[in-house]
Amino acid sequence: MKSGQKNGTLNPIGWGYEEQAVDPAELRPLLRGIGSVLGIREDAYQPPIDPGAIELPPPRWTPPTALRDRFDTSPATRLLHAAGRSYRDLVALRTGQIRHAPDAVAQPANRDELGDLYELADRDRLALIPRGGGSSVCGGVNPEVPDDFNGTIIVDLTRMNRVLDIDVTDRVVHAEAGILGPDLDAALAPHGLATRHYPQSYYHSTLGGWVAARGAGHFSTQYAKIEDRVVQTEMVTPAGLAWRTRQLPASSVVVDPNRLAAGSEGMFGILTEIALRVVSTPTAKAADTWAFQTFEQALEAGRAIVQAGLWPTQMRILDPFERLVSAMLSGNPAPPEALVLLSFEGEAQGVVDARAAAAENLLTAMGGKQKAKTAAGGEGAAEWKQTFFRQPYLRDVLIDHAVIADTFETAIPWHRAADFYQEVRSAVLDALNEVCGGGAVLCRSTHAYPDGVALYFSFYGAGRHGDLIDQWWTLKRAAQE
């Protein structure tokens, strides 16, 4: 079984690929900036454990001899599949505190082999946990199961990665669930098509993972969340191939089973095939960055944009604290202001320009200050995009410096958004003061709807090695409550 993929070698104790880990030159400005705010000390650094030195719990179950070639029970593979990539997971991985590990990892190549796994699991009372790219931050891929199971098998689906059909007329791609996002887009590109679905885990997540977790991508304001793009699903359940929907543009008959599959997180079975609506690769683009004095003003501007029906491809609203940190990570000074990052794209430049111009008129009337207007995005947008895919890698080294860094998000109606923002900031700052002696809370919007907005918070505090997970739980509960 491969421990790496064509884009690099998967890091067994960190995010993504080992080749893309943060190097000292990239780390220095981060520690200078955030370190001065949080009081991070250089002597707080504790190097991560050597993966080879991690002692895993001994396996409770051994594959039968006749099927042994279908499983990998090596320590390296068990470690790679021992946890997702939440903050809690990464602290455990980087300090060697692994309390749970799969007894074996299976990598089925087709639905028949998956069916065999179900039969084996039923016979030996084993827990099966489906896994795509392994980038889950919600605990869904962690082998933490009740004691009455005799063992745990991680079902790694990344061998089920074929593109089965690309219908250019209908703009629908039919593929196996284990295909990674970049590989799916690479197959679509020669046909002038693209998913335009870019979660932060894009390089380390699969089509099946997107659907099972009901993901939302970077451009979902225009292209919709993943459940709105699924037109067909296939799922293997303990009863066999019990779920295969028809590919239809719409249906008014009873419950839509595709909606049940989206967000199911493996509770009904394991997704094996998905047909997904895709889009033409955009050839026309326009982008704007707008500044407002307060986050509340920027939120109102965002509400005006979507309720006017302009639907930018991307709209991110950054509070002044998010803006400052993004600038800090990019090495550029920034004033304390809230930003609205807008991008529009499509197939006709005239249509895209008209939508961008309508947004410009609207935001100018609302007191916004245009920072830049370019095809690639303006000041602030470039900084934010630069750090978007790097932030998870940075989190690894922050853990090594005893920094607590994590995120949480929820959707809230527009009429509650401003007050909610202040309430959450206040509650988490109080918890940070209690747990860490201070810290920082940042916020940005990630998705917008006619009746509300999704607010995505980040929090940072100087923790203590040995207590990081307990401290993190205290902060997380304060946010959730």
Side-chain angles (χ1 to χ4, degrees), residues 218-419:
H218 190 55
F219 293 148
S220 62
T221 303
Q222 174 174 330
Y223 296 127
K225 294 178 65 185
I226 203 73
E227 67 265 27
D228 297 314
R229 301 174 62 179
V230 174
V231 294
Q232 184 181 16
T233 52
E234 177 187 280
M235 188 183 299
V236 176
T237 76
L241 181 55
W243 189 307
R244 186 181 183 110
T245 65
R246 295 178 63 195
Q247 182 175 326
L248 297 169
S251 174
S252 60
V253 180
V254 298
V255 175
D256 180 359
N258 291 324
R259 289 282 179 167
L260 290 178
S264 61
E265 296 274 6
M267 71 175 72
F268 300 131
I270 298 178
L271 284 163
T272 52
E273 294 181 15
I274 293 158
L276 187 76
R277 293 186 180 101
V278 294
V279 300
S280 294
T281 303
T283 55
K285 298 182 181 182
D288 259 349
T289 301
W290 291 81
F292 290 85
Q293 289 186 340
T294 69
F295 188 54
E296 288 80 359
Q297 291 173 327
L299 284 173
E300 276 296 292
R303 180 175 70 86
I305 289 289
V306 295
Q307 291 185 348
L310 297 178
W311 296 111
T313 307
Q314 177 211 37
M315 182 173 72
R316 292 289 185 268
I317 307 171
L318 280 58
D319 78 353
F321 308 100
E322 176 87 24
R323 160 68 160 143
L324 287 170
V325 170
S326 295
M328 192 182 297
L329 295 179
S330 69
N332 298 319
E337 58 193 2
L339 293 183
V340 178
L341 314 179
L342 296 176
S343 66
F344 297 87
E345 62 183 41
E347 300 175 54
Q349 193 65 53
V351 174
V352 169
D353 288 343
R355 291 163 64 203
E360 180 177 342
N361 292 336
L362 186 59
L363 297 188
T364 299
M366 298 185 71
K369 177 184 176 184
Q370 192 176 46
K371 303 284 288 185
K373 181 178 180 180
T374 67
E379 176 195 348
E383 295 166 357
W384 188 83
K385 184 177 180 181
Q386 180 179 334
T387 61
F388 180 66
F389 289 117
R390 290 300 292 166
Q391 283 173 340
Y393 287 99
L394 294 168
R395 181 182 51 173
D396 288 354
V397 294
L398 288 177
I399 289 172
D400 301 338
H401 286 80
V403 174
I404 302 171
D406 203 10
T407 63
F408 52 90
E409 65 180 316
T410 192
I412 195 80
W414 285 113
H415 76 274
R416 281 280 294 127
D419 288 343

Side-chain angles (χ1 to χ4, degrees), residues 58-63 78 101-105 120-129 143-154:
R60 297 187 297 154
W61 175 84
T62 302
R78 291 179 67 217
D103 299 289
V105 175
L120 181 64
D122 185 53
R123 186 194 75 190
D124 290 359
R125 187 156 179 75
L126 306 171
L128 299 183
I129 299 178
E144 301 169 1
V145 301
D147 291 337
D148 57 349
F149 283 96
N150 295 324
T152 305
I153 298 174
I154 295 290

